Amino acid sequence: MRHLGNVFIYNNNTINKALYHQGLEERGYFLFDTDNLHKFSLYHKEIMPQVMLFDFDRTTPVDFIISLGRRFERTDTPLVVVSEAPKALIYHPAVSHYLTHNEAKEHLLDILESYCTGNKNHQVLYINLKPYERHDFVSSARSKGYSVFEVHNLTAAKCYLAKNSPKVICINFLPALSQSQKLFSFSKTFYVENKQNIEEIEPFLS
């Protein structure tokens, strides 16, 4: 079986433990799965993962979830948080993706494939630096059938672009627009807002 990549999972939610192993190991991912944060921190320095996934049950305190962002904020590895807690309460700029458990079932495999094997080439890379706002832009794009890869920091966007080629990059924080254009040297880079729809960008997607 082809080795697709290393995925580290901090998982205090036993309900999803079998789901991750059955669904991901069968596809060829190496999983390091633990509910011991010290062991997780130690091993992630020894075996470089392509993605770090944190799955929290409903009883996990918000402060603990936020603390993990601070603990791993210097890493270049994309961080995925799976939790039912509101994004506004657990937001940390080091976190690359926020998913509910239902969203994880729908989008997690796409996220892993994008970072590990690449060549997904979504039409829109959306750098959403305000994930706590309503996501009208993403919703409108997907409702029209456009494929969107959404990240919440420039580090994750850089990891994505190392293996994928979107048609456009959109970013919703004006002060970071010029930084993004210089960092990625990508001509079709646009400023958008979460509250707008995809219509203004559509001419560049054909």
Side-chain angles (χ1 to χ4, degrees):
M1 180 184 294
R2 187 163 67 107
H3 174 66
L4 298 183
N6 300 330
V7 179
F8 274 35
I9 303 175
Y10 172 79
N11 188 2
N12 70 356
N13 188 358
T14 56
I15 295 176
N16 281 345
K17 189 175 289 289
L19 177 64
Y20 288 133
H21 283 270
Q22 291 172 3
L24 299 180
E25 286 184 329
E26 289 176 357
R27 286 180 166 85
Y29 292 98
F30 167 78
L31 301 186
F32 178 77
D33 186 351
T34 181
D35 61 359
N36 185 310
L37 188 56
H38 175 71
K39 185 182 292 186
F40 183 99
S41 302
L42 184 65
Y43 277 81
H44 108 271
K45 297 176 182 178
E46 300 295 328
I47 306 173
M48 290 299 295
Q50 277 73 51
V51 178
M52 292 195 290
L53 171 67
F54 303 89
D55 188 322
F56 302 105
D57 65 24
R58 292 178 179 273
T59 65
T60 306
V62 167
D63 289 346
F64 179 72
I65 299 176
I66 296 173
S67 73
L68 288 177
R70 292 194 292 266
R71 180 185 286 257
F72 294 101
E73 62 188 358
R74 295 185 182 277
T75 184
D76 291 331
T77 305
L79 310 181
V80 180
V81 168
V82 182
S83 171
E84 301 305 317
K87 295 174 187 177
L89 295 182
I90 60 174
Y91 171 73
H92 189 282
V95 176
S96 310
H97 304 268
Y98 296 92
L99 302 171
T100 64
H101 290 92
N102 283 335
E103 289 171 339
K105 294 175 183 177
E106 184 176 357
H107 299 298
L108 180 59
L109 187 59
D110 182 49
I111 291 171
L112 296 182
E113 289 175 345
S114 297
Y115 289 126
C116 294
T117 59
N119 296 317
K120 299 291 289 185
N121 301 335
H122 303 85
Q123 289 160 298
V124 181
L125 169 61
Y126 184 40
I127 306 173
N128 178 5
L129 301 183
K130 302 176 182 179
Y132 39 81
E133 294 182 342
R134 283 181 51 181
H135 53 283
D136 294 345
F137 179 76
V138 172
S139 297
S140 73
R142 287 176 173 159
S143 69
K144 290 196 172 186
Y146 296 112
S147 57
V148 180
F149 190 81
E150 182 180 8
V151 301
H152 301 312
N153 54 54
L154 294 177
T155 300
K158 184 178 180 180
C159 290
Y160 174 84
L161 288 168
K163 296 183 178 181
N164 303 273
S165 300
K167 289 189 175 181
V168 302
I169 296 177
C170 296
I171 185 167
N172 70 341
F173 187 57
L174 193 56
L177 177 62
S178 59
Q179 181 184 359
S180 173
Q181 291 170 325
K182 291 177 183 178
L183 182 62
F184 305 130
S185 300
F186 197 91
S187 58
K188 293 183 178 180
T189 302
F190 306 98
Y191 169 71
V192 301
E193 295 182 357
N194 272 330
K195 63 184 179 182
Q196 76 183 71
N197 59 38
I198 193 68
E199 288 182 359
E200 293 181 26
I201 307 300
E202 280 189 287
F204 302 97
L205 294 174
S206 57

